[in-house]
Amino acid sequence: MARIAVIGAGIAGLAGARALADAGHQVRVFEKSCGPGGRMATRRTVHGSFDHGAQYFTLRDPGFQRTVQAWVADGIAAPYTGHIVRLDGGVAQPLDHDEPRYVATPAMPAACRALGAGLAVEFECEITAVTPGENGWRLSWNDGGESGFDAVVLAVPAVQAVPLCTAVPALASRIGAATYAPCWAVLAHYATPLPVSFDAAFVTDAVLGWVMRDASRPGRAPGERWVLQASAAWSARHLESDAGTVAAHVAAAFCAAAGVTAVPEEAVAHRWRYALSKGLHAGFLWDARHRIGACGDWCADGRIEGAYLSGIGLAATLRRDA
Ligand SMILES: Cc1cc2nc3c(=O)[nH]c(=O)nc-3n(C[C@H](O)[C@H](O)[C@H](O)COP(=O)(O)OP(=O)(O)OC[C@H]3O[C@@H](n4cnc5c(N)ncnc54)[C@H](O)[C@@H]3O)c2cc1C
């Protein structure tokens, strides 16, 4: 039985930690936030909850399909049945290609919460350094640290993994190759239902990339709450803009794209500096000599499904090596 530290309680870290714990290893997860989920995030407001990070997940891999079917049976996930269109120049068009989409219920972090059930997770514990010592790896945080880990899994976004990997420069350099696009996500609440023919849309215009009526998803409270995601290009150009200005601009762009006249009762902008990675398509990274590895969406294809498979893949390799 090995003593393994997993840094990051997003879906990649928790999928890996779960698999390692199920194989009998002693696993500790360290997460800087106060709950699990990472970018599978939700925000409570007076108007109800918004999933302001990832919106849904696809099921292309048979292994992930089996996991999600179990979540569906347990009431943790459900198929998305809303009407999705492509909004092009203000005109709603059918999608050229569609595929099954699922959401976690009652909110996106639920899937991560299920994976993490029963695991030893330290929340509000930001790891500041990972250093080799005589009796294994040492993890440091603000006011403390712990030594004696046989292996370390970095399950954090690549930009945050690089500074934790200075002891193994070759691995740090591979991690450093991952790139990200930012995303401004605006959470808009309208007093009355918007007269639109769709529940969600891929948008092709100068500002928006994706919009979704939050309550069109299973298990959500009713209400006219919309998540409006700016495109990667617009988000990058306005990354340092004031959140209030962004919220107003993106909400106005939504009305123009959807052909409606409506002013949200409230619109709040959330900036994801590192939202979506193109992904290295490497599955995961593992340095067998130093017994440190990395997983996450950026190792794979930049999506939830890829992040899950990345965590599972690294855990399988570690199980063989441990
Ligand atoms: C706006 C937006 C929309 C998206 N839409 C979709 C979508 O519709 N479909 C889809 O499949 N994907 C989508 N994604 C991408 C999806 O959210 C990610 O691919 C997936 O959640 C990544 O999981 P992860 O575990 O790799 O990383 P994360 O979810 O980023 O988890 C990493 C965790 O590590 C923690 N952490 C970081 N540094 C430290 C540290 N030093 N110490 C301790 N903990 C640390 C973080 O707090 C976080 O909890 C979207 C993302 C965003 C932001």
Side-chain angles (χ1 to χ4, degrees), residues 19 32-33 55 80 88 126 136 153 176 188 233 242 245 250 279 302 309 314 322:
K32 71 176 177 182
S33 305
Q55 304 285 286
Y80 180 70
D88 206 343
E126 178 171 1
V153 170
D242 163 71
T245 310
V250 170
L309 294 171
L314 178 52

Side-chain angles (χ1 to χ4, degrees), residues 223-269:
E224 199 65 359
R225 299 182 304 281
W226 284 80
V227 175
L228 316 173
Q229 291 177 359
S231 69
W234 192 91
S235 298
R237 277 201 307 281
H238 296 83
L239 199 56
E240 305 306 333
S241 297
D242 163 71
T245 310
V246 168
H249 197 87
V250 170
F254 173 48
C255 282
V260 296
T261 309
V263 177
E265 261 191 341
E266 188 174 25
V268 175

Side-chain angles (χ1 to χ4, degrees), residues 158-242:
V159 278
Q160 286 148 0
V162 169
L164 298 179
C165 198
T166 48
V168 188
L171 182 60
S173 145
R174 292 186 70 193
I175 296 172
T179 57
Y180 286 87
C183 178
W184 273 109
V186 172
L187 318 180
H189 177 259
Y190 298 88
T192 53
L194 299 185
V196 294
S197 62
F198 55 86
D199 296 307
F202 293 96
V203 190
T204 314
D205 75 13
V207 180
L208 292 163
W210 166 261
V211 297
M212 189 176 212
R213 191 201 305 265
D214 202 83
S216 68
R217 305 182 313 155
R220 270 64 179 178
E224 199 65 359
R225 299 182 304 281
W226 284 80
V227 175
L228 316 173
Q229 291 177 359
S231 69
W234 192 91
S235 298
R237 277 201 307 281
H238 296 83
L239 199 56
E240 305 306 333
S241 297
D242 163 71

Side-chain angles (χ1 to χ4, degrees), residues 7-13 30-33 35-40 52-58 125-128 155-157 160 164 183 185 210 229 272 274-276 295-298 302-305 307:
I7 307 173
I11 192 159
F30 298 88
E31 166 57 49
K32 71 176 177 182
S33 305
R39 279 168 282 160
M40 293 175 72
H52 60 297
Q55 304 285 286
Y56 60 81
F57 38 88
T58 50
C125 185
E126 178 171 1
I127 302 304
T128 52
V156 301
Q160 286 148 0
L164 298 179
C183 178
W210 166 261
Q229 291 177 359
W272 294 97
Y274 306 108
L276 297 162
C295 60
D297 62 338
W298 56 271
R303 295 176 303 115
I304 289 171
E305 182 171 9

Side-chain angles (χ1 to χ4, degrees), residues 4 12 28 39 71 85 93 126 130 134-135 190 218 221 227 248 256-257 266 295:
I4 301 169
R28 295 273 305 280
R39 279 168 282 160
W71 289 346
V85 299
Q93 314 265 16
E126 178 171 1
V130 178
E134 274 173 19
N135 61 341
Y190 298 88
V227 175
E266 188 174 25
C295 60

